[in-house]
Amino acid sequence: MTLPTNEPTVLDLGFARVDVGREARQGLPEVVYGPGKTAEQVKAIVTGLLAHNTGPVMVTRVAPEAALEILTCSPGGTYDSEARLLLWRPTAIGSFKVMVVAAGTSDRPVAAEAATVCAAVGLDTAAVHDVGVAGIERVLQVRERLRAADAVIVVAGMEGALASVVGGMVRSPVVAVPTSVGYGASLEGVTALLAMLASCAAGVTVVNIDSGFGAAIAVHRIALASGGRR
């Protein structure tokens, strides 16, 4: 995908310089991080992205009350309250299969962000929740579903051990997301982060704490590189 020569690559809104050339470089428009911006600022950025790009436009981490206001900027938008994601123009679902697996029910919001972003960019996405290692039979019951996926996103807090279990169970890429779920020594996700980085299961990729979005985009890049997204 290339932009016409008369198209800008940066849209200067005064309060923001929107990277409208990112879709041509990376295959997706710039994604808007919602916190810290007013509804009016987000509306202006979304309007610019929709005008200068053809792919999905997303705003992450949006509170419900702000979402209602932002949706008025352009028809066709949707809001997923669990994922806290605003979306316009989702990509048609292709053949690349992603499984999002979450250790506990408390990890659901981060897992929902990962799954919703994956689906928005055209990945064939399914999710399994509450299969943490404290009851190992739970993840063993879904191991064939995990093995059938082209990539697996593992979302876990506490000690983050689920990433190692899944990493040793499947042959596809595994992207691990540590969450801030857990008691004091979990250190708001730092313990899970370090455990995932130190995993004995070779090749597990780890993204930032609570970054379901980051995991989804990592898998999107894997899908693009493999030629399997569509």
Side-chain angles (χ1 to χ4, degrees):
M1 182 184 301
T2 57
L3 288 171
T5 55
N6 61 341
E7 281 286 322
T9 58
V10 175
L11 181 63
D12 191 347
L13 298 177
F15 63 88
R17 292 170 58 82
V18 185
D19 183 5
V20 293
R22 190 171 306 183
E23 183 178 29
R25 298 195 312 274
Q26 297 185 348
L28 281 178
E30 179 179 1
V31 177
V32 185
Y33 179 68
K37 299 179 178 68
T38 68
E40 289 303 316
Q41 288 173 334
V42 175
K43 288 164 68 175
I45 294 169
V46 167
T47 299
L49 289 169
L50 288 169
H52 292 278
N53 294 274
T54 61
V57 171
M58 292 177 276
V59 187
T60 65
R61 305 295 172 96
V62 183
E65 57 273 16
L68 292 174
E69 171 63 22
I70 295 167
L71 282 169
T72 64
C73 74
S74 183
T78 60
Y79 178 64
D80 187 305
S81 58
E82 187 172 36
R84 295 176 292 167
L85 185 79
L86 284 166
L87 170 65
W88 287 261
R89 292 195 309 227
T91 302
I93 300 298
S95 61
F96 192 93
K97 297 183 183 299
V98 181
M99 178 64 75
V100 179
V101 54
T105 303
S106 297
D107 299 311
R108 283 190 69 104
V110 176
E113 182 179 66
T116 305
V117 172
C118 280
V121 300
L123 305 178
D124 185 358
T125 308
V128 175
H129 297 279
D130 201 20
V131 292
V133 299
I136 195 68
E137 68 278 2
R138 295 179 297 185
V139 70
L140 295 177
Q141 288 172 353
V142 298
R143 62 183 179 273
E144 295 308 320
R145 294 181 64 187
L146 300 179
R147 288 169 176 166
D150 296 308
V152 181
I153 294 174
V154 180
V155 181
M158 303 291 187
E159 84 296 340
L162 184 61
S164 291
V165 172
V166 174
M169 188 181 294
V170 304
R171 64 187 301 174
S172 59
V174 174
V175 179
V177 188
T179 74
S180 52
V181 170
Y183 297 104
S186 295
L187 301 176
E188 298 184 336
V190 173
T191 297
L193 171 66
L194 295 177
M196 290 171 173
L197 288 171
S199 174
C200 187
V204 172
T205 298
V206 186
V207 298
N208 208 345
I209 297 169
D210 290 336
S211 185
F213 166 75
I217 298 303
V219 171
H220 169 70
R221 286 175 177 253
I222 291 168
L224 284 179
S226 72
R229 187 176 66 83
R230 299 301 298 274

